[in-house]
Amino acid sequence: MIQISRRGAMGAGLGLLGASQASGPALAQAAQQIAIATGTTGGVYYPLGGALANYLTRGIPGVSATAEVTAGSTANFQLLGASRAQLVFGQVDAAVDSIRGAGPFRGRVVPTRAIAVLYTNRMQVVTTADRNIRSMADLKGKRISTGAPASATELFALRLIAAAGLNVATDFRGRERLSPAESTNAIRDGKIDAYFFVSGVPTSAITDLAATPGTTLALIDHADALDPIVREHGPVYFAESIPAGTYPGQTTENKQLSVANILAVREDTPPALVQQILNILWTNREDWARVHSAARDFTLAQQKTAAAGVPWHPAAEAFWRTAGATLG
């Protein structure tokens, strides 16, 4: 059974795996907790984190791993910086900010180190056909949700809004900061007109909206914002398309912007623990892809230094080179 905790904020009672603890057999035998920071229940990090917690609990004697519900990437790297999470899922844009002490991490540099590049997170600007919103410009004067506070969705959404030439403070009739599940409910209830959500696809919150009787999903194209967003924030974003048919009733492809996801630890995480995590995850990768299709992209070819965005943990770099990844 997958071990999942819904504590969200992750209380201080969690055991920590710091650099002072022994590596090797002693590490494996000590009773330890690994808190895995994931995301909201409507996204992809959460089910993948639950499965990962199960693999680690079964695979490392004396270790109990739990997947924690969080607001998302920004919150996850903040928890990593405070040593309240030992392993985190996160977007590369938030990871880069964390090591630079930029944006929401201003003045608080986090010693983030990548251990794996996972899959692509796709920005989805979600509305319904009856709202008659066909472009980013059409969002002006509408009611929107830019994602939960401290989420990667909020970080990316605010950058996309600016790149599209809109002012988040003045161009909307209302701005909420809702989770994806809350955003779906708000659209159904007529409280907002559109919302932003960045995740692997398909994702349950958007699938639920698309499957609502009498509702026709509409995803807003925004790939033309690539150049201004890259000029401002660097080459962490890239253009992709969500194929037609990814969601119920979606008849056309959605031209959108994406960013990579990583698994990350602190720089001082014991090398033996990193080696164990990667050995176990790599061994279980086919099962992981059955938990959510986004994990099918967890491949050797994905393990690129440029895609990781932040430095590798030395044990992870050694693991991937041994496994045959070029990392170039």
Side-chain angles (χ1 to χ4, degrees):
M1 180 178 178
I2 294 173
Q3 296 190 22
I4 299 178
S5 166
R6 293 194 172 206
R7 286 168 292 180
M10 290 195 272
L14 293 169
L16 302 179
L17 287 167
S20 62
Q21 294 169 312
S23 60
L27 175 66
Q29 295 304 316
Q32 301 292 348
Q33 296 279 341
I34 299 178
I36 305 172
T38 64
T40 62
T41 56
V44 176
Y45 290 169
Y46 181 66
L48 290 182
L52 178 55
N54 188 36
Y55 304 149
L56 298 183
T57 298
R58 291 183 308 173
I60 306 177
V63 163
S64 177
T66 54
E68 305 289 344
V69 178
T70 73
S73 293
T74 299
N76 292 354
F77 290 114
Q78 290 169 340
L79 290 164
L80 189 67
S83 294
R84 294 174 62 194
Q86 289 73 53
L87 180 62
V88 305
F89 288 76
Q91 284 185 185
V92 168
D93 51 359
V96 169
D97 278 358
S98 78
I99 65 169
R100 292 177 175 171
F105 303 92
R106 192 169 306 281
R108 300 184 301 276
V109 172
V110 179
T112 302
R113 294 295 181 266
I115 67 168
V117 179
L118 301 178
Y119 61 93
T120 294
N121 249 11
R122 298 167 182 261
M123 174 54 80
Q124 296 154 93
V125 185
V126 184
T127 186
T128 55
D130 59 313
R131 263 76 175 190
N132 295 314
I133 300 171
R134 297 182 176 82
S135 68
M136 289 292 292
D138 290 341
L139 289 173
K140 190 170 184 178
K142 305 297 185 181
R143 300 161 301 172
I144 64 169
S145 170
T146 52
S151 67
T153 291
E154 183 175 63
L155 177 71
F156 195 166
L158 295 180
R159 291 176 176 183
L160 174 57
I161 287 168
L166 296 169
N167 186 313
V168 71
T170 61
D171 281 342
F172 302 103
R173 185 148 58 96
R175 175 200 166 201
E176 303 293 338
R177 302 171 76 193
L178 306 174
S179 73
E182 291 169 335
S183 293
T184 285
N185 289 333
I187 278 198
R188 285 175 176 152
D189 295 341
K191 296 178 180 177
I192 62 171
D193 301 300
Y195 69 88
F196 294 74
F197 186 34
V198 59
S199 71
V201 296
T203 190
S204 61
I206 299 175
T207 299
D208 288 348
L209 177 62
T212 302
T215 295
T216 300
L217 181 74
L219 298 177
I220 305 305
D221 288 347
H222 55 269
D224 56 357
L226 177 62
D227 287 345
I229 201 170
V230 167
R231 279 198 304 270
E232 183 68 22
H233 301 289
V236 295
Y237 303 106
F238 46 94
E240 287 190 315
S241 293
I242 298 173
T246 298
Y247 294 106
Q250 180 199 350
T251 59
T252 60
E253 70 173 358
N254 174 222
K255 298 175 182 178
Q256 42 72 229
L257 298 180
S258 296
V259 63
N261 290 292
I262 60 173
L263 270 180
V265 297
R266 289 176 60 93
E267 182 182 23
D268 57 6
T269 301
L273 177 60
V274 173
Q275 177 78 22
Q276 286 174 307
I277 291 170
L278 289 175
N279 272 327
I280 290 168
L281 184 54
W282 193 239
T283 299
N284 286 279
R285 64 188 182 277
E286 292 184 4
D287 182 76
W288 215 34
R290 287 190 284 271
V291 173
H292 195 285
S293 59
R296 294 173 186 162
D297 293 335
F298 177 45
T299 63
L300 280 180
Q302 286 280 85
Q303 309 313 311
K304 301 290 187 184
T305 299
V310 298
W312 292 104
H313 188 287
E317 184 173 4
F319 176 89
W320 292 118
R321 290 194 186 280
T322 300
T326 60
L327 302 184

